Amino acid sequence: MAQWTSAVGPAQLARQLQAQQPRPAGPGAKKPPAYRALADGIRLLVLEGRVPVAARLPAERELALALTVSRTTVAAAYEALRAEGFLESRRGAGSWTAVPAGNPLPARGLEPLPPEALGSMIDLGCAALPAPEPWLTRGVQGALEELPPYAHTHGDYPAGLPALRQMLADRYTARGIPTMPEQIMVTTGAMGAIDAICHLFAGRGERIAVESPSYANILQLMRAAGARLVPVAMSEGLGSWDLGRWRQVLRDAAPRLAYVVADFHNPTGALADEDQRRQLVDAARSAGTVLVVDETMAELRLDDDLEMPRPVCAFDPAGSTVLTVGSASKAFWAGMRIGWVRAAPDVIRSLVAARAYADLGTPVLEQLGVNWLMRTGGWEEAVTLRRDQARENRDALVAAVRRELPEWEFSVPRGGLTLWVRTGGLSGSRLAEAGERVGVRVPSGPRFGVDGAFEGFVRLPFTVGGPVADEAAARLAAAARLVESGAGGGAEPPRSFVA
């Protein structure tokens, strides 16, 4: 019986491997043999989760043809991986990826470290801040006070609590987009919203256009749903969308869906201007593409003098082309798993009907908490605290990285939670691997691309500040030195550090 649960094609694996930057050799070191470089590249892909564990690899001859190397090279690389525990094989079943005994399974997304691991590891993998107290506690207390009437019902509200749907609709109306509660569905976080949208609009094999780079967890969600991702490159720096490329992709590929983050894009921090928003909506409408707009970062404006553009849905107020996704997770707290969709009423009805076969509904207590915060003004107070903390962290992290790693390049975003950094020619994958050894966890650029793109980048979130930001930058510099020297291990373990 075969032990693999998925398969990686030779062309896909070749693209991912060819996108990797070669491991630098230390002073006087010889270039590693071809088979060793190939084995090292596959091992990195497995460790980062970009090739899943238990994935069947191409046959030796197929991969040799795709990489234009000899079959002997591939055979030797596979044998090295088997010896290291990263590959298992069985006659007649092929070879599939594995991890050595004792190694943690690599995460496909950007899951946070468990709390017990934070004493010795600075976690820059997850772009999320602690709860803005005292508002979390007050919101929960307010929810408990309002819970008794709901406790006498069945508790299932597939579209969301009527009070919260009305509150969210009123907030869109206050932003200049008239909205009815029938245009709102409350979901379990933004991920739950986008998952529901993908299942309704984009069946297995459907094309979805995505920004390149884009949010790693959403890319993985879409891959798992069987979507065919069509990357659309962004402009350089923080220029946001390249409308010429978007028009071409929407016209030529005719994707069923397009997913974009217009407000403080994750990972680059870019902010699309009003003209870009209007043009993209027009292009999507002309192509018959449903435009999914992720607004989870929209409230995290960090520079007070920045005037925010109108929401993308302002250019499609009926919600027939634009489906807007919002969430409490970034603006308030990731542990508050409340998200929502704004769309045309018939789309909301379809999403609600399909939900009966998924999660039935979102927890009532958390919905009451968000509604209490929005109704009493606590939400605005909490978001102000969140902005202040993120701004301080941004400034501290930017200063620390510029001091410790002056050759790294980035533009400072005016909002959001992430810094997109070009690593001075170093491999982001190798930096992530070295970072784990020196006590800093950082996601590499390819996590945010399709088929190995952005190897020369890492994403740094504004989740640490002060001395912790200084220490994080120092550890990143130590990781960079390891990569530059070509060191393969043996780094000193990180000293204990309480974040």
Side-chain angles (χ1 to χ4, degrees):
M1 179 179 175
Q3 300 297 306
W4 49 272
T5 56
S6 62
V8 181
Q12 177 188 359
L13 184 57
R15 285 195 300 271
Q16 289 181 291
L17 289 166
Q18 289 165 350
Q20 290 180 338
Q21 295 166 349
R23 188 187 196 108
K30 295 181 180 179
K31 183 179 179 180
Y35 85 89
R36 184 65 262 174
L38 175 56
D40 187 39
I42 294 174
R43 180 176 59 84
L44 271 178
L45 293 174
V46 173
L47 286 173
E48 282 217 309
R50 290 187 282 133
V51 168
V53 175
R56 187 182 186 274
L57 294 187
E60 294 170 2
R61 188 185 303 277
E62 293 175 342
L63 185 56
L65 287 172
L67 292 172
T68 62
V69 300
S70 72
R71 183 178 177 181
T72 302
T73 297
V74 177
Y78 279 12
E79 182 57 38
L81 289 168
R82 277 189 288 269
E84 296 164 4
F86 286 95
L87 197 67
E88 296 181 10
S89 304
R90 181 172 299 166
R91 186 179 298 276
S95 299
W96 56 92
T97 56
V99 291
N103 278 38
L105 287 175
R108 293 282 285 172
L110 302 177
E111 294 83 359
L113 285 173
E116 62 270 17
L118 293 177
S120 60
M121 182 73 70
I122 299 176
D123 186 10
L124 298 182
C126 185
L129 291 164
E133 289 287 24
W135 294 106
L136 173 62
T137 298
R138 292 180 184 177
V140 172
Q141 291 171 340
L144 286 171
E145 292 173 0
E146 297 178 3
L147 181 61
Y150 295 93
H152 294 292
T153 73
H154 48 65
D156 287 335
Y157 297 88
L161 291 184
L164 182 54
R165 296 177 75 195
Q166 182 68 61
M167 176 63 67
L168 293 168
D170 290 346
R171 289 174 68 86
Y172 277 107
T173 299
R175 294 168 69 189
I177 307 100
T179 303
M180 305 178 294
E182 292 80 8
Q183 291 180 264
I184 301 292
M185 180 177 84
V186 181
T187 62
T188 307
M191 292 287 287
I194 293 170
D195 182 59
I197 291 168
C198 288
H199 279 88
L200 180 63
F201 285 94
R204 186 164 293 275
E206 290 276 6
R207 295 184 181 91
I208 301 179
V210 295
E211 296 151 325
S212 184
S214 187
Y215 179 37
N217 285 339
I218 293 297
L219 295 181
Q220 180 55 26
L221 182 155
M222 292 173 175
R223 290 188 188 103
R228 298 165 61 189
L229 301 183
V230 183
V232 185
M234 297 187 71
S235 300
E236 283 296 315
L238 297 184
S240 192
W241 300 326
D242 184 324
L243 268 300
R245 287 172 175 162
W246 270 105
R247 290 192 198 93
Q248 181 179 358
V249 167
L250 295 177
R251 181 182 65 246
D252 297 345
R256 186 71 183 90
L257 288 178
Y259 169 76
V260 297
V261 185
D263 301 285
F264 310 123
H265 174 262
N266 187 352
T268 68
L271 177 67
D273 63 34
E274 283 206 9
D275 187 54
Q276 289 176 320
R277 296 169 189 235
R278 180 185 295 105
Q279 289 188 53
L280 186 57
V281 172
D282 290 344
R285 185 182 293 115
S286 298
T289 297
V290 175
L291 188 60
V292 182
V293 179
D294 187 334
E295 281 193 339
T296 55
M297 296 282 190
E299 296 193 68
L300 294 176
R301 172 178 56 87
L302 303 185
D303 293 345
D304 293 335
D305 62 341
L306 175 63
E307 183 175 348
M308 290 294 292
R310 285 181 291 170
V312 178
C313 58
F315 305 100
D316 178 51
S320 57
T321 295
V322 176
L323 276 58
T324 303
V325 172
S327 172
S329 296
K330 299 298 185 184
F332 188 77
W333 184 48
M336 187 71 80
R337 304 304 304 158
I338 298 296
W340 53 87
V341 181
R342 181 199 180 275
D346 61 322
V347 173
I348 295 297
R349 286 193 294 270
S350 297
L351 287 168
V352 171
R355 192 175 196 179
Y357 307 100
D359 64 355
L360 293 178
T362 301
V364 169
L365 190 62
E366 293 184 23
Q367 293 186 72
L368 287 172
V370 170
N371 187 62
W372 184 91
L373 287 163
M374 290 181 172
R375 190 183 72 247
T376 62
W379 179 269
E380 282 68 27
E381 294 281 352
V383 170
T384 297
L385 289 175
R386 170 67 73 241
R387 287 175 182 152
D388 291 344
Q389 185 178 11
R391 184 187 306 110
E392 291 176 4
N393 288 355
R394 178 196 64 181
D395 295 346
L397 186 64
V398 164
V401 173
R402 282 177 172 164
R403 180 178 63 252
E404 297 287 345
L405 294 150
E407 68 279 12
W408 286 17
E409 302 173 19
F410 52 85
S411 297
V412 180
R414 305 193 70 184
L417 288 172
T418 57
L419 192 68
W420 185 238
V421 181
R422 191 188 301 270
T423 56
L426 298 180
S427 162
S429 299
R430 300 187 193 283
L431 279 166
E433 182 188 25
E436 293 278 352
R437 300 203 301 273
V438 299
V440 60
R441 182 173 180 257
V442 59
S444 68
R447 293 250 181 147
F448 304 88
V450 177
D451 284 343
F454 306 109
E455 185 61 64
F457 291 82
V458 294
R459 189 196 74 171
L460 306 180
F462 310 143
T463 53
V464 296
V468 188
D470 294 337
E471 179 66 16
R475 294 187 186 187
L476 285 171
R481 288 192 293 272
L482 280 177
V483 174
E484 288 169 344
S485 70
E492 294 183 5
R495 60 185 182 274
S496 177
F497 191 88
V498 179

